[in-house]
Amino acid sequence: MAVITGADWWSLRHPIGVVANYTDGPVEYLRHGALVTVVNDLSTRLLCVDSSAESQQPASDPIPVVAVATDRNNSGGLQAQGGSGGAEWVVEIASYEMRGAVNIAPSDNITDWDPEVLHPLATLFRLRHAATGCVLAALPAAASDDTNVGAPVVCVPDPLRTGVDGAAVDDLWRVTLSVDLRIGFESNMRGKVRTSFTENLFALNAVMARANNDLVPDPDRYDVLESPPWSWPFLIYPMRMGGWYRAEEAMEHGAYYEIGNPLLWWATATLCCVLYPLRAAVALYSWKRARKPIRVGAGWLLWSGWAMHYLPFFLMSRITYLHHYLPALYYALLLLAYECDKLATRCGGRSARRALLVVLSLLVFAVFWNFRICTFGWYGQPPAAGLARLRWLPSWNIAGSAYD
């Protein structure tokens, strides 16, 4: 049975057997309590409750939903193959996010916000199955046996709407696109739907956090691309990118090895993970013993930026990759440049400062030039002989791996 996920595009249509003319017929607004069918835009399949699974499991368990093929009846309406199959749903409007008046259809003189009408973007609603009374809901991806799909969609009874197996369910839906040429299309919705910036900020961040936490790794499977956050500053697990394992794809699009400049990465790791924490510990100890004031300069500002972009990954359960460290690396590189400039200033005059900066720049460029093939990439099979000499750490799978 295919898993119905929230990544699919579905439309709300008339009940089975009802003929609707969406071009010349009268405009009908979808209201609270309306009976609808949920149709897939690409396959025209109907979203139904799996009646076979419903009869084989306890009434308190979530019921799977399936997409049932449809036929056109003689009058032009949709008809599910083998009968309705429980394809009808009842719209229950839960809330609407609207502040102010709205003009839905000027021709009908509807100028006030009607809470009984379903409005695109602004109305949150539920879909209750007409036959069984369960509610259509999305489970977190972590609750599914298949980690390669998005949030699985099931039909949950009312007692389970607060959670299934400890995982929260999302039973609120909204219409993201509604096009009706009889009413017209207006791209500027600012005057019709006005929401709070603060509410949107927290809501979007909550959604992103929930979506990221759903991307959990499989502990029983080795993934050559994954890497834990603790390894990022020390460049322990670089990534194979592009068509590394597929010669045809590598020949067409190329392949490369995602690795940073080891000199810069290890220097920033020493600075951010060792020296600055030690400096902070000494400053706190001095303040506690002698009440010496703690000086906060530009270096601490940059280190704080690095920490705020890096440390939250330790709180996340999602799959992590090396490139997730790049925003924090920007702050680490700025901090490294700041400290190098301070060191060069203390070394003596202007000539000594310039000499030190030239030497450091040449070293950085030399290491980059040595690893340039990883940045520029190659086409076809990776040049094993040329990559073997770049394996500075045993964990680098740049030239062979125990899992190849």
Side-chain angles (χ1 to χ4, degrees):
M1 181 186 67
V3 178
I4 307 300
T5 73
D8 302 317
W9 283 94
W10 300 82
S11 297
L12 300 180
R13 301 291 181 88
H14 282 76
I16 291 175
V18 176
V19 181
N21 187 338
Y22 297 103
T23 304
D24 302 323
V27 176
E28 300 178 55
Y29 295 106
L30 200 55
R31 294 182 173 272
H32 178 78
L35 197 64
V36 297
T37 54
V38 185
V39 185
N40 187 277
D41 288 346
L42 297 179
S43 64
T44 69
R45 289 174 174 264
L46 290 172
L47 190 66
C48 306
V49 166
D50 188 358
S51 56
S52 60
E54 177 189 2
S55 60
Q56 298 174 3
Q57 62 186 23
S60 60
D61 288 350
I63 307 173
V65 293
V66 294
V68 177
T70 57
D71 291 327
R72 290 279 180 182
N73 57 26
N74 294 333
S75 7
L78 286 175
Q79 182 71 35
Q81 292 182 359
S84 66
E88 293 180 337
W89 305 81
V90 178
V91 175
E92 294 183 354
I93 294 180
S95 63
Y96 55 90
E97 301 171 356
M98 178 63 194
R99 294 168 180 81
V102 62
N103 191 342
I104 305 171
S107 59
D108 294 338
N109 295 322
I110 302 177
T111 57
D112 295 327
W113 182 263
D114 188 350
E116 295 291 320
V117 175
L118 192 152
H119 302 280
L121 298 179
T123 304
L124 296 175
F125 64 95
R126 296 182 180 91
L127 290 174
R128 186 178 297 275
H129 192 244
T132 64
C134 59
V135 177
L136 191 69
L139 296 175
S144 172
D145 295 333
D146 189 352
T147 58
N148 295 320
V149 300
V153 177
V154 294
C155 199
V156 298
D158 280 331
L160 293 182
R161 282 168 52 188
T162 56
V164 176
D165 295 333
V169 300
D170 188 0
D171 61 354
L172 294 178
W173 306 87
R174 74 172 77 231
V175 175
T176 57
L177 179 65
S178 178
V179 178
D180 194 325
L181 298 180
R182 295 168 295 178
I183 299 177
F185 179 78
E186 184 176 352
S187 58
N188 184 12
M189 297 291 292
R190 182 175 299 178
K192 298 178 181 289
V193 180
R194 297 188 299 275
T195 57
S196 169
F197 171 80
T198 305
E199 292 178 2
N200 290 342
L201 178 65
F202 284 98
L204 290 176
N205 277 275
V207 170
M208 288 189 292
R210 184 168 65 247
N212 277 279
N213 283 323
D214 288 343
L215 301 174
V216 294
D218 186 353
D220 299 324
R221 184 183 67 178
Y222 170 75
D223 191 341
V224 70
L225 302 179
E226 295 179 25
S227 59
W230 63 263
S231 67
W232 297 340
F234 308 100
L235 201 61
I236 296 179
Y237 299 110
M239 289 177 59
R240 295 179 173 183
M241 302 294 291
W244 193 289
Y245 300 100
R246 297 173 296 275
E248 299 81 6
E249 184 177 339
M251 185 63 69
E252 181 180 358
H253 302 291
Y256 65 97
Y257 194 63
E258 187 178 82
I259 187 174
N261 189 311
L263 180 62
L264 291 177
W265 280 60
W266 293 335
T268 56
T270 304
L271 194 62
C272 294
C273 300
V274 180
L275 297 182
Y276 261 75
L278 286 177
R279 186 183 296 181
V282 171
L284 289 175
Y285 179 79
S286 300
W287 176 81
K288 184 177 181 180
R289 293 295 300 270
R291 297 297 177 179
K292 293 184 178 180
I294 299 177
R295 298 179 180 179
V296 179
W300 285 110
L301 180 63
L302 294 173
W303 185 86
S304 300
W306 169 85
M308 287 188 292
H309 284 78
Y310 172 55
L311 297 181
F313 281 98
F314 289 92
L315 305 177
M316 300 173 64
S317 59
R318 65 151 292 160
I319 301 174
T320 51
Y321 305 102
L322 179 65
H323 50 256
H324 290 155
Y325 182 65
L326 294 182
L329 181 64
Y330 297 150
Y331 286 90
L333 292 174
L334 290 174
L335 179 59
L336 178 63
Y338 172 76
E339 292 294 337
C340 288
D341 183 70
K342 286 178 59 178
L343 178 63
T345 303
R346 294 174 182 176
C347 287
R350 181 176 299 180
S351 58
R353 179 187 179 190
R354 289 181 176 177
L356 179 59
L357 294 179
V358 168
V359 170
L360 293 177
S361 300
L362 290 176
L363 285 176
V364 171
F365 180 78
V367 174
F368 162 76
W369 189 253
N370 185 49
F371 284 86
R372 66 188 183 280
I373 188 174
C374 300
T375 301
F376 300 143
W378 58 85
Y379 290 92
Q381 293 292 339
L387 296 179
R389 64 180 179 81
L390 301 179
R391 191 178 184 184
W392 288 10
L393 294 180
S395 59
W396 293 3
N397 57 358
I398 190 171
S401 170
Y403 298 93
D404 285 345

